[in-house]
Amino acid sequence: MEIKQPAELSHVLTMTHRNLLKMWHNPDNVSDVVIQPIIFTLLFGYLFDGAIAGSVQAYLPMLVTGILIQSILNAASGSGQQLREDINAGVFDRFKTLPISPIVPLAGQLVGDVFRLLISGLMALVTAFMMGWRPIVSPLVLIGVLLLAVFVGWSLSWVFALVGLMVKNAALIGSLSMIIILVLTFLSNAFIPTKTLPHLLQTIVRLNPVSLTITAIRTILRTGHWGPDAFGVLLSGFLIIVIFMPLTVLAYRRFG
């Protein structure tokens, strides 16, 4: 991102603070980051517990990973919509007149996404804990799981940011993002056992990257160790960043 001087770092942090304040003053963003993880955890936990696992406590180990990833994806998708809203409102035109590096507004948005993702993931985990979920791993391992989920979400934030720079309608970005997230999460092993599905859907679910991520996290929560699946998810996140970070920065510079 070419942030070389302490002044530029200060500008990025200032822009990050601005984006976080904007989130707290926007009901839609607060819903995506804070309220949605709570509602979905409660709703799915008490609606489907008996049908799938027999009780809330038995269902929570499966549910918590699905809600965690769904919440992270929802929070990550807000990156592109927020960028487009600022662009359409003329805010970025104002930023161009300020004595700051041209890349600072984009950097502030993506750094702010880290905090949004952390909040969303924490809301999912805390809600599940209050419902009776008790992880068998140490707090350090649980923190590692949360950071892995946040890293995956942050890597996808670059994809959504690129979409926000390319698509001019902010509402369309939000609608498309929601449809994609719902399809990816419900056609995965997030909420139901894969073996209960028809054979064709089982194949689709197993190939779904969301299923691979959830499987990796469930393995960590069950064993306390990072297996090959987890490192594969980590590598995939790095590859997404390597591919989409330059593309997003290039699109942003052309916009500017």
Side-chain angles (χ1 to χ4, degrees):
M1 286 210 182
E2 302 182 6
I3 301 170
K4 300 177 181 179
Q5 301 176 7
E8 290 182 336
L9 178 59
S10 176
H11 294 159
V12 170
L13 294 177
T14 300
M15 201 63 65
T16 299
H17 182 244
R18 176 255 174 192
N19 289 324
L20 292 175
L21 287 177
K22 179 187 174 185
M23 180 196 77
W24 286 116
H25 290 287
N26 188 322
D28 290 339
N29 292 332
V30 172
S31 173
D32 289 343
V33 175
V34 178
I35 301 176
Q36 217 173 87
I38 298 173
I39 291 177
F40 274 103
T41 306
L42 293 171
L43 187 65
F44 281 50
Y46 290 114
L47 276 180
F48 301 140
D49 60 322
I52 295 175
S55 68
V56 174
Q57 283 69 30
Y59 185 40
L60 281 174
M62 169 180 282
L63 177 65
V64 67
T65 50
I67 294 294
L68 173 62
I69 296 303
Q70 184 187 58
S71 303
I72 289 292
L73 290 176
N74 280 329
S77 68
S79 180
Q81 190 171 1
Q82 287 188 31
L83 274 174
R84 177 46 60 182
E85 287 173 352
D86 279 345
I87 292 170
N88 290 348
V91 176
F92 274 41
D93 292 331
R94 171 58 179 158
F95 289 156
K96 294 175 190 176
T97 67
L98 299 176
I100 59 176
S101 171
I103 205 67
V104 163
L106 177 64
Q109 175 67 53
L110 272 299
V111 173
D113 283 345
V114 175
F115 294 97
R116 294 172 64 251
L117 292 164
L118 274 171
I119 294 169
S120 187
L122 278 172
M123 289 298 100
L125 295 179
V126 169
T127 304
F129 189 85
M130 293 178 67
M131 291 173 64
W133 176 61
R134 296 296 181 266
I136 60 174
V137 296
S138 67
L140 189 61
V141 173
L142 193 59
I143 291 172
V145 165
L146 177 60
L147 292 179
L148 176 61
V150 168
F151 174 73
V152 171
W154 191 72
S155 67
L156 293 174
S157 290
W158 288 96
V159 180
F160 288 112
L162 179 60
V163 173
L165 293 170
M166 303 293 289
V167 179
K168 295 184 179 181
N169 190 313
L172 178 61
I173 295 171
S175 298
L176 290 176
S177 299
M178 179 58 67
I179 292 171
I180 292 171
I181 290 169
L182 288 176
V183 171
L184 286 175
T185 52
F186 283 102
L187 278 179
S188 74
N189 60 353
F191 306 118
I192 59 174
T194 304
K195 63 182 181 181
T196 63
L197 298 171
H199 292 298
L200 177 59
L201 284 181
Q202 286 187 30
T203 302
I204 295 174
V205 166
R206 290 192 178 101
L207 294 175
N208 186 342
V210 170
S211 294
L212 300 177
T213 304
I214 290 172
T215 298
I217 291 177
R218 283 176 180 162
T219 301
I220 298 173
L221 290 175
R222 187 177 66 253
T223 66
H225 302 289
W226 284 47
D229 289 342
F231 288 106
V233 169
L234 200 61
L235 178 61
S236 298
F238 277 115
L239 289 176
I240 292 172
I241 293 172
V242 168
I243 294 170
F244 283 93
M245 180 186 285
L247 292 175
T248 304
V249 172
L250 180 62
Y252 178 80
R253 283 177 171 168
R254 286 183 176 178
F255 164 80

